[in-house]
Amino acid sequence: MGNSIKSAEFLMEARRSRMGYGSAEECFELGVAYSCGAGDLPIDFIEAHKWFNLAASRGSEAGQAMRAEIAEEMTAREIAEAQRAARAIIIASQPRAA
């Protein structure tokens, strides 16, 4: 059991360190982790919404569905905060013009 927790923690840390550069599936998995508090992560609907939003922006239909589902549990202010955070990652991950 200890090894699986350590593996989950390593996976989450690796995904967080890449920020928005991961695939739709990786972003979706982070959204799931934050929505249910996997590993050492607390349940955080703002973070979950952000990662589902990033997954959706990369074409994930499951990300779209989960983003909508979790939004039902959030205030408008929380949703706006999550959207701003996702937008910041999208902007930061875009190549800069020379």
Side-chain angles (χ1 to χ4, degrees), residues 4-96:
S4 64
I5 291 173
K6 291 292 182 192
S7 296
E9 289 171 358
F10 175 78
L11 176 66
M12 292 300 111
E13 189 57 39
R15 299 240 167 99
R16 283 186 295 224
S17 70
R18 288 201 303 227
M19 295 296 286
Y21 301 102
S23 68
E25 182 179 324
E26 290 170 326
C27 292
F28 179 81
E29 289 175 8
L30 274 171
V32 170
Y34 276 107
S35 68
C36 61
D40 66 337
L41 298 176
I43 294 175
D44 186 333
F45 288 159
I46 294 171
E47 279 294 306
H49 189 284
K50 175 183 81 175
W51 288 109
F52 289 139
N53 197 16
L54 290 166
S57 75
R58 287 166 172 76
S60 170
E61 291 181 18
Q64 292 173 7
M66 290 302 294
R67 179 183 59 194
E69 185 175 319
I70 204 165
E72 293 178 9
E73 304 296 322
M74 299 170 69
T75 66
R77 184 169 291 183
E78 290 170 329
I79 293 168
E81 183 179 341
Q83 289 172 334
R84 279 191 299 274
R87 197 172 314 118
I89 290 173
I90 291 168
I91 290 169
S93 67
Q94 292 177 342
R96 306 249 187 251

